[in-house]
Amino acid sequence: MITRRKLLRQLSSTPVIGSLFGAGFWSSSLFKSAEVKTKTRNLFEELGVTPVINASVTMTFLSGSLMRPEVMEAINSTSHDFANMHELQDKVGEKIAEMLQVEGAMVTSGAACAMVLGTAAAITGTDPEKIKTIPNLPGPRPEVIMQKSHRYVFDQAITTTGARIVEVEGPEEMEKAFNERTVMALFFNAAGKSSISHEQFVEIAKRHQVPSFIDAAADVPPVENLFKYQKIGFDLITFSGGKMIRGPQSAGLLYGRKDLIEAAKLNHSPHEAPIGRPMKVNKEEIFGMYAALKAYLELDHEKEWQEWLDRIDRIKTQLETVASVQGETNINPGPANAFPSLLLSWDQQKVRITPREVNKLLKDENPSIVTNVRRNEDRQDLLSVGVVLLRPDQVDYVADRIKSILSKAES
Ligand SMILES: *Cc1c(COP(=O)(O)O)cnc(C)c1O
């Protein structure tokens, strides 16, 4: 039997046939008759790693999102040459800034890194001594103002720089919180409630000449949110690269005021000493993040939304063939994860299994299917099936698997 490699070598040494490569040659019947096997290496299998179907939302522990084809193309096509990382970050940053209509931008290793770098920039400016010293600056700790109701797990990225968080409630308390140690004010966009509006927050910070930073990491769709907060006047903005923008999961965007972005770059790799050095982003991911953003901005968002609704319909129709099963489209109001999903309920006298049990059985399958259990106002559990992260070929598969579990429990 002739191997693919041997055949390739033989063919490419023949000038005429060699030049046929790429032009659909491999799918020709001539080639098929050579019975060449093209089994790609399966690293999931090789390492015994369970593949996961994400019928939920983007979660870092589930590897974020699947990178767009444009991102993989960017990664592969740029992996064959070296680049000067300063130049690459500058050029990509310029382009992203132009796309997002801001003065400056950079690619970070995720939104959490953007928070470290943004805070570091607010503390150090371009002072090399301070850049070398944080988080161990002499004297009292720099202060970052936050609303009490905005405190969240990710604010540890702020205190990583040595800063201390000062909690305020309402515009009056915010006014009084500024002093000579205040370096920044942080707004968590997806916080449940705010005692200070976006506009008030920006206005007060500006009056005290302190940069305002908004963390909107998971807040697309809608795509307009990528442009919204600079218009309100925030000095720094971050979005994750690996959530619905579907770039590399270890990339993110930091953008806004140029002087702050330049200071953030000084606090980042490829510089050798600063706080951001362990938060390196590789060359391919920087190119990949640019490609992801460009593809995301150029996407037909209405069409994508309709496709999500169609997926929900498709799954719902299949499942409603099981006695008493009812599906309902649920649109999360956001700002984080603002997209539709399918909520399933059934009469447990007719289908003798709980949503929690279905969720567990799906999770234990191989491939593992991750869904969620939601509780409604009547304190009734519902099975929530996310559709936005499914590959097109997984839609029917997920419907099929849920249907099989529910049918088996039919009494
Ligand atoms: C996901 C998330 C982060 C962290 O983003 P990474 O890109 O994973 O570093 C920070 N803040 C919020 C609100 C998030 O949702």
Side-chain angles (χ1 to χ4, degrees), residues 36 53 56 76 83-84 112 115 176 194-195 197 205 210-211 254 258 273 288 302 304 319 323 338 348 350-351 363:
V36 175
I53 294 174
S56 177
N76 288 322
N84 177 311
M115 291 167 71
K176 288 192 212 126
S194 298
S195 54
S197 72
V210 162
L254 177 64
K258 189 157 179 66
E302 271 174 39
E304 185 182 52
L319 294 179
Q348 286 180 31
K350 297 206 170 96
V351 180
K363 181 172 164 281

Side-chain angles (χ1 to χ4, degrees), residues 60 110-112 152 154 188 215 217-218 240 243:
T60 290
Y152 64 145
F154 286 108
F188 168 32
D215 171 9
S240 287
K243 292 179 181 164

Side-chain angles (χ1 to χ4, degrees), residues 115-255:
M115 291 167 71
V116 174
L117 295 182
T119 314
I123 295 171
T124 65
T126 57
D127 183 336
E129 201 47 43
K130 285 184 179 166
I131 290 170
K132 216 163 62 184
T133 316
I134 58 162
N136 301 305
L137 287 174
R141 293 169 71 180
E143 293 178 2
V144 171
I145 294 172
M146 274 184 86
Q147 299 182 56
K148 200 172 191 164
S149 59
H150 285 208
R151 293 299 308 271
Y152 64 145
V153 283
F154 286 108
D155 65 36
Q156 194 178 15
I158 305 297
T159 54
T160 299
T161 63
R164 184 171 91 76
I165 290 167
V166 176
E167 292 179 1
V168 299
E169 216 165 341
E172 275 170 38
E173 254 184 56
M174 183 172 174
E175 282 284 357
K176 288 192 212 126
F178 289 86
N179 60 48
E180 66 287 353
R181 296 182 296 280
T182 312
V183 292
M184 200 176 84
L186 179 76
F187 197 103
F188 168 32
N189 198 43
K193 54 180 191 292
S194 298
S195 54
I196 309 166
S197 72
H198 291 80
E199 288 78 8
Q200 282 175 318
F201 195 86
V202 164
E203 190 267 317
I204 297 169
K206 275 205 198 315
R207 196 143 29 74
H208 291 271
Q209 294 175 356
V210 162
S212 53
F213 186 135
I214 186 162
D215 171 9
D219 303 351
V220 285
V223 62
E224 290 79 22
N225 279 357
L226 283 164
F227 303 89
K228 184 174 175 183
Y229 305 108
Q230 56 273 48
K231 285 181 192 148
I232 294 175
F234 280 94
D235 297 302
L236 286 173
I237 298 155
T238 185
F239 278 83
S240 287
K243 292 179 181 164
M244 291 303 280
I245 299 174
R246 290 179 53 201
Q249 109 130 320
S250 45
L253 298 169
L254 177 64
Y255 58 97

Side-chain angles (χ1 to χ4, degrees), residues 195-350:
S195 54
I196 309 166
S197 72
H198 291 80
E199 288 78 8
Q200 282 175 318
F201 195 86
V202 164
E203 190 267 317
I204 297 169
K206 275 205 198 315
R207 196 143 29 74
H208 291 271
Q209 294 175 356
V210 162
S212 53
F213 186 135
I214 186 162
D215 171 9
D219 303 351
V220 285
V223 62
E224 290 79 22
N225 279 357
L226 283 164
F227 303 89
K228 184 174 175 183
Y229 305 108
Q230 56 273 48
K231 285 181 192 148
I232 294 175
F234 280 94
D235 297 302
L236 286 173
I237 298 155
T238 185
F239 278 83
S240 287
K243 292 179 181 164
M244 291 303 280
I245 299 174
R246 290 179 53 201
Q249 109 130 320
S250 45
L253 298 169
L254 177 64
Y255 58 97
R257 231 169 74 189
K258 189 157 179 66
D259 62 318
L260 290 169
I261 297 297
E262 291 309 314
K265 284 187 200 164
L266 295 174
N267 278 284
H268 197 213
S269 176
H271 296 284
E272 275 143 3
I275 193 161
R277 172 60 193 232
M279 303 162 202
K280 187 189 280 186
V281 191
N282 75 15
K283 177 192 79 206
E284 291 80 2
E285 286 173 323
I286 295 181
F287 278 117
M289 188 63 241
Y290 160 72
L293 181 65
K294 188 166 184 326
Y296 185 66
L297 293 178
E298 287 169 0
L299 202 71
D300 184 339
H301 296 275
E302 271 174 39
K303 186 166 157 237
E304 185 182 52
W305 189 272
Q306 189 54 50
E307 274 164 17
W308 292 337
L309 296 177
D310 292 346
R311 287 175 171 200
I312 287 175
D313 251 12
R314 207 178 159 89
I315 299 175
K316 176 174 134 90
T317 306
Q318 281 207 54
L319 294 179
E320 284 183 346
T321 60
V322 181
S324 85
V325 173
Q326 285 199 315
E328 181 198 332
T329 305
N330 174 57
I331 297 175
N332 185 341
N337 303 319
F339 39 72
S341 56
L342 172 64
L343 288 179
L344 292 168
S345 59
W346 54 88
D347 179 350
Q348 286 180 31
Q349 301 299 319
K350 297 206 170 96

